[in-house]
């Protein structure tokens, strides 16, 4: 991945990035706005998202195969745990609300989203932070000693810092957060067979001992399960810098401890979450070390291959291991699939690979060669993606008529609950009660988002909206963050109703194009992306689509240009503080 020095540091220095973002930048949800909607509140119907990636057309599934990644779009930093035959997986969510999507599987291939871990305002306070702040690197684990699940994470907002929530049934919700008194990021819990517990995390070196930019350490603490706290004075550095500090490795992070055959294995990400990302492994005879690195590190990476390779998968790392139903180990991890311009628009996605642990150390099978889009199904597993509530893969279609009393879990808000601005209209469709904020502000917005999950796709919706004044706007947005986005919506100027396409880059908004439009009939809005080329189209009263603004670049929707850790989102957007004035 070719990036500027600024963007590379943005990608690697996760803690600094989160602090800067704050400074300047569950179950089905009942669809009922808490505030009374105005009579002319916009109503959206018939949302359709269709993936159209070339790789899936050229690589159709054969019998006994499934697609990788298993979660397409912005589902980064996966962590996984097991209780019996049930597997649970969580992802980072940053300032998205609700936070930390959680998935369930019995076979590691077919996944259903069962909700979000942080689905209440008492758990998640992200109302005033940039989209790439908020919740980082959640780690989920099951403690068989007390039959309890834990999700531990760093929340860079709301005064939380490092925190943990608990439940005995992930299907039934989680506790309020318990604040933990230690610094650093990426905490993870390990529960030993003898009832003891430990916490590992990334941290800065001891004061005055930092040797280079990106020098980090892994610490371990004894953890008090009864009182949910680290035990003061028990902290110890178990990895300094990384596998070999003489080579100045950067950003050792995302640690997890596993126990196998009486020995303790510490697995970490190394190299930053960009082009030098990798996964490395250490071993010890005691959970507090000393830890010895494997001689064959890294055990997973994509950094050694030509940048112009076809169907490139890159940035692989930040992994977690679990024993599968067949007794074989598997690893979930993040990676990206850039478009033809090497732009990362869909964000970091969740992949899976089988792991060979027949030797002294685990190794991701085919994790040290260019990753492919298909894997063989484990024996006896049927591929059910897109059926019976299981998450889809490949070039799937997602449709929502908004006819249900509950909202699909794939819809998310930003910095605040969706329930505060959405409701079902009397004549059907999703009604948005607009806030007096717009998407360039670091505040909750009245926008319902769906993740971009392909490089090439189309997304469309039908809008019924008659604005009363210039400050009102409703429509579609393609949104990377508060400073980089497109808005394609209906507003008013004098006595005319206008459809406008606006581009915001580096926080500065320019109007790409606008046209007068009849708002007495519903208008259909559509965005079509072909890799890095985006086109915004409209149709009135079921007619043919007409383009507005020509072909525009999707580069501002990429991590390369916009920075941060999220992928591009497609939003149904309404505001009472429109500042796009043709």
């Amino acid at each position: 991945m070719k990036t500027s020095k600024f963007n590379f540091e943005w990608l690697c220095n996760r803690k600094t990035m989160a602090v800067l973002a704050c400074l300047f930048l569950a179950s089905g949800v009942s669809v009922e706005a808490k505030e009374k909607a105005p009579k002319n509140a916009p109503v959206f119907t018939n949302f359709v998202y269709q993936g159209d990636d070339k790789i899936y057309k050229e690589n159709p599934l054969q019998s006994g195969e499934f697609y990788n990644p298993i979660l397409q779009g912005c589902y980064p930093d996966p962590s996984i745990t097991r209780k019996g035959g049930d597997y649970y997986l969580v992802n980072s969510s940053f300032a998205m609300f609700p936070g930390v999507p959680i998935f369930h599987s019995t076979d590691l291939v077919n996944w259903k989203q069962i909700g979000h871990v942080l689905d209440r305002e008492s758990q998640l306070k992200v109302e005033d932070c940039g989209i790439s702040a908020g919740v980082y690197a959640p780690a989920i684990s099951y403690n068989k000693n007390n039959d309890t699940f834990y999700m531990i994470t760093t929340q860079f907002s709301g005064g939380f810092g490092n925190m943990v929530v608990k439940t005995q049934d992930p299907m039934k919700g989680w506790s309020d957060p318990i604040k933990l008194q230690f610094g650093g990021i990426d905490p993870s819990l390990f529960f030993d067979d003898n009832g003891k517990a430990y916490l590992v995390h990334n941290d800065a070196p001891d004061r005055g001992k930092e040797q280079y930019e990106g020098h980090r350490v892994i610490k371990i603490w004894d953890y008090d399960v009864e009182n949910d706290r680290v035990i003061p004075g028990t902290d110890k550095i178990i990895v300094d810098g990384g596998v070999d500090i003489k080579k100045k490795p950067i950003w050792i992070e995302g640690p997890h401890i596993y126990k196998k055959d009486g020995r303790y294995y510490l697995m970490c990400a190394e190299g930053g979450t960009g082009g030098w990302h990798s996964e490395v492994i250490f071993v010890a005879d005691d959970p507090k070390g000393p830890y010895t690195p494997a001689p064959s590190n890294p055990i997973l990476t994509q950094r050694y291959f030509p940048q112009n390779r076809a169907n490139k998968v890159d940035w692989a790392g930040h992994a977690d291991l679990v024993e599968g139903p067949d007794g074989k180990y598997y690893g979930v991890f993040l990676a990206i699939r850039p478009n033809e311009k090497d732009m990362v628009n869909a964000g970091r996605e969740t992949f899976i690979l089988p792991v060979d642990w027949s030797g002294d150390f685990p190794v991701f099978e085919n994790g040290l060669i260019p990753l492919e889009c298909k894997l063989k199904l484990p024996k006896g597993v049927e591929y059910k993606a897109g059926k019976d509530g299981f998450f889809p893969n490949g070039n799937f279609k997602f449709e929502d008529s908004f006819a249900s009393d509950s909202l699909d879990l794939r819809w998310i808000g930003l910095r605040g609950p969706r329930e505060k601005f959405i409701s079902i209209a009397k004549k059907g469709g999703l009604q948005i009660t607009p806030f007096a904020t717009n998407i360039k502000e670091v505040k909750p917005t009245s926008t319902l988002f769906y993740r971009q999950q392909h490089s090439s796709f189309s997304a469309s919706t039908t809008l019924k909206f008659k604005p009363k004044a210039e400050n009102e706007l409703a429509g579609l947005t393609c949104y990377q963050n508060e400073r980089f986005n497109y808005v394609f919506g209906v507003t008013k100027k004098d006595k005319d109703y206008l459809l406008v396409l606006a581009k915001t880059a580096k926080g500065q908004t320019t109007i790409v194009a606008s046209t007068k439009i009849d708002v007495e009939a519903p208008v259909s809005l559509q965005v079509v992306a072909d890799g890095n080329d985006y086109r915004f189209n409209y149709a009135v009263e079921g007619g043919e689509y007409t383009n507005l603004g020509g072909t525009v670049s999707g580069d501002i929707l990429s991590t390369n240009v916009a920075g941060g850790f999220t992928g591009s989102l497609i939003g149904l957007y309404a505001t009472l503080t429109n500042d796009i004035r043709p």
Side-chain angles (χ1 to χ4, degrees):
M1 174 59 60
K2 295 180 180 179
T3 60
S4 68
K5 180 180 179 182
F6 173 78
N7 276 338
F8 180 76
E9 290 175 351
W10 182 299
L11 291 168
C12 293
N13 193 341
R14 302 171 65 220
K15 184 175 181 181
T16 301
M17 170 51 211
V19 173
L20 288 175
C22 273
L23 290 175
F24 75 93
L25 291 178
S27 57
V29 176
S30 176
V31 182
E32 182 178 355
K34 292 187 177 181
E35 296 182 13
K36 186 177 181 180
K39 290 183 179 180
N40 73 324
V43 175
F44 295 85
T45 55
N46 305 319
F47 179 85
V48 180
Y49 174 94
Q50 174 66 65
D52 193 35
D53 281 350
K54 182 179 178 182
I55 189 170
Y56 295 121
K57 297 176 182 178
E58 295 179 344
N59 295 275
L61 289 176
Q62 305 299 318
S63 177
E65 295 179 332
F66 71 103
Y67 282 129
N68 210 12
I70 52 174
L71 300 179
Q72 294 169 222
C74 181
Y75 293 99
D77 304 333
S79 177
I80 193 168
T81 196
R82 173 185 185 179
K83 177 186 177 182
D86 293 301
Y87 295 86
Y88 298 93
L89 184 151
V90 295
N91 301 100
S92 289
S93 56
F94 308 104
M96 300 171 191
F97 201 112
V100 188
I102 180 168
F103 299 85
H104 172 260
S105 178
T106 58
D107 54 27
L108 299 177
V109 172
N110 302 296
W111 293 90
K112 285 184 180 181
Q113 187 171 359
I114 60 173
H116 293 82
V117 175
L118 305 178
D119 58 6
R120 306 187 301 277
E121 289 179 280
S122 61
Q123 300 171 309
L124 185 60
K125 296 185 183 298
V126 290
E127 62 272 11
D128 58 357
C129 68
I131 190 173
S132 280
V135 176
Y136 277 50
I140 189 171
S141 52
Y142 173 68
N143 183 1
K144 65 181 181 181
N145 301 310
N146 63 0
D147 189 26
T148 300
F149 292 86
Y150 295 75
M151 192 285 294
I152 187 170
T153 189
T154 311
Q155 185 172 165
F156 281 101
S157 57
F160 281 112
N162 290 301
M163 49 167 268
V164 65
V165 294
K166 303 188 296 182
T167 184
Q168 290 193 310
D169 187 349
M171 302 281 188
K172 295 181 179 180
W174 296 71
S175 70
D176 276 346
I178 301 165
K179 296 181 183 181
L180 300 172
Q181 301 302 315
F182 64 91
I185 62 172
D186 292 8
S188 177
L189 289 167
F190 168 68
F191 303 102
D192 208 343
D193 300 331
N194 59 9
K196 291 185 178 180
Y198 303 89
L199 186 150
V200 289
H201 65 97
N202 159 300
D203 207 345
D206 290 340
R207 185 179 297 274
K209 293 187 177 181
E210 182 177 2
Q211 299 183 28
Y212 51 87
E213 180 68 23
H215 177 195
R216 303 292 287 180
V217 303
I218 300 298
K219 281 186 178 179
I220 190 168
W221 301 72
D222 293 339
Y223 188 77
D224 180 350
V225 175
E226 292 297 322
N227 298 293
D228 283 301
R229 66 184 188 112
V230 294
I231 299 176
T234 63
D235 56 310
K236 177 184 179 183
I237 293 174
I238 53 175
V239 174
D240 186 5
V243 169
D244 184 355
I245 197 169
K246 296 177 183 177
K247 296 181 179 179
K248 297 184 177 181
I250 60 172
W251 284 93
I252 191 77
E253 58 188 359
H256 298 287
I257 292 179
Y258 313 95
K259 188 175 185 180
K260 184 175 185 292
D261 299 330
R263 305 194 79 193
Y264 298 88
Y265 294 83
L266 172 69
M267 190 173 74
C268 306
E270 187 184 274
T273 191
W276 203 246
H277 209 194
S278 70
E279 201 70 16
V280 296
I281 193 88
F282 306 78
V283 69
D285 293 320
D286 184 275
K288 301 191 79 169
Y291 280 91
T292 302
S296 56
N297 278 316
I299 59 173
L300 168 71
T301 192
Q302 294 289 287
R303 68 191 180 201
Y304 298 121
F305 312 121
Q307 289 299 299
N308 61 351
R309 62 191 184 273
N311 300 325
K312 180 166 70 172
V313 178
D314 212 352
W315 303 4
H318 200 107
D320 199 2
L321 302 179
V322 72
E323 186 177 357
D326 54 4
K328 184 179 181 63
Y329 279 83
Y330 293 83
V332 292
F333 58 96
L334 72 78
I336 55 100
R337 297 178 297 160
N339 65 24
E340 81 288 355
K341 298 284 188 178
D342 218 24
M343 296 289 169
V344 182
N345 288 42
R348 294 161 174 80
E349 306 174 291
T350 292
F351 290 72
I352 193 168
L353 280 177
V355 172
D356 182 353
W357 208 335
S358 58
D360 291 335
F361 294 95
V363 177
F364 286 75
E365 294 183 12
N366 296 326
L368 297 173
I369 63 174
L371 291 170
E372 298 182 355
C373 69
K374 298 193 294 184
L375 292 174
K376 291 184 178 180
L377 286 168
K379 186 176 181 181
V381 175
E382 177 187 355
Y383 191 45
K384 301 176 182 178
K387 305 174 184 176
D388 302 323
F390 290 103
F391 229 59
N393 290 89
N395 279 334
F396 57 82
K397 178 187 285 187
F398 171 77
E399 297 182 78
D400 200 334
S401 64
F402 303 111
S404 173
D405 289 336
S406 60
L407 192 65
D408 191 285
L409 289 165
R410 284 167 281 189
W411 289 110
I412 53 172
L414 184 59
R415 304 189 192 92
R418 301 156 293 180
E419 304 95 312
K420 289 190 175 182
F421 62 86
I422 60 174
S423 58
I424 295 296
K426 291 181 180 179
K427 294 183 180 180
L430 184 87
Q431 183 170 269
I432 291 184
T433 301
F435 291 166
T437 57
N438 66 52
I439 61 169
K440 291 183 290 185
E441 297 182 76
V442 184
K443 297 177 181 178
T445 70
S446 43
T447 316
L448 195 64
F449 288 106
Y450 182 88
R451 292 167 173 87
Q452 178 180 329
Q453 296 177 290
H454 300 79
S455 288
S456 296
F457 70 91
S458 64
S460 62
T461 190
T462 300
L463 171 66
K464 179 65 175 177
F465 176 54
K466 188 174 183 179
K468 292 181 178 180
E470 294 182 356
N471 65 295
E472 299 181 3
L473 179 144
L476 280 177
T477 178
C478 287
Y479 181 94
Q480 219 288 339
N481 62 41
E482 47 273 6
R483 301 179 70 243
F484 292 87
N485 52 74
Y486 284 103
V487 169
F488 185 43
V490 174
T491 187
K492 188 177 184 181
K493 182 178 182 181
D494 299 325
K495 295 182 179 181
D496 294 324
Y497 298 99
L498 300 178
L499 177 64
V500 62
L501 174 62
K503 172 184 177 179
T504 297
K506 297 182 180 179
Q508 299 299 310
T509 300
T510 56
I511 294 172
V512 179
S514 64
T515 186
K516 291 182 182 180
I517 195 168
D518 180 7
V519 297
E520 296 302 326
V523 57
S524 294
L525 304 176
Q526 180 191 59
V527 55
V528 179
D530 181 11
N532 206 54
D533 294 334
Y534 284 62
R535 292 176 64 83
F536 293 86
N537 310 314
Y538 71 99
V540 178
E541 217 168 2
E544 294 294 319
Y545 277 110
T546 300
N547 175 256
L548 183 67
T551 299
V552 297
S553 175
D555 60 356
I556 67 164
L557 304 174
S558 71
T559 303
N560 317 58
V561 173
F565 305 112
T566 61
S568 181
L569 306 173
I570 303 154
L572 309 180
Y573 169 52
T575 180
L576 294 177
T577 54
N578 171 48
D579 63 353
I580 301 169
R581 305 293 172 85

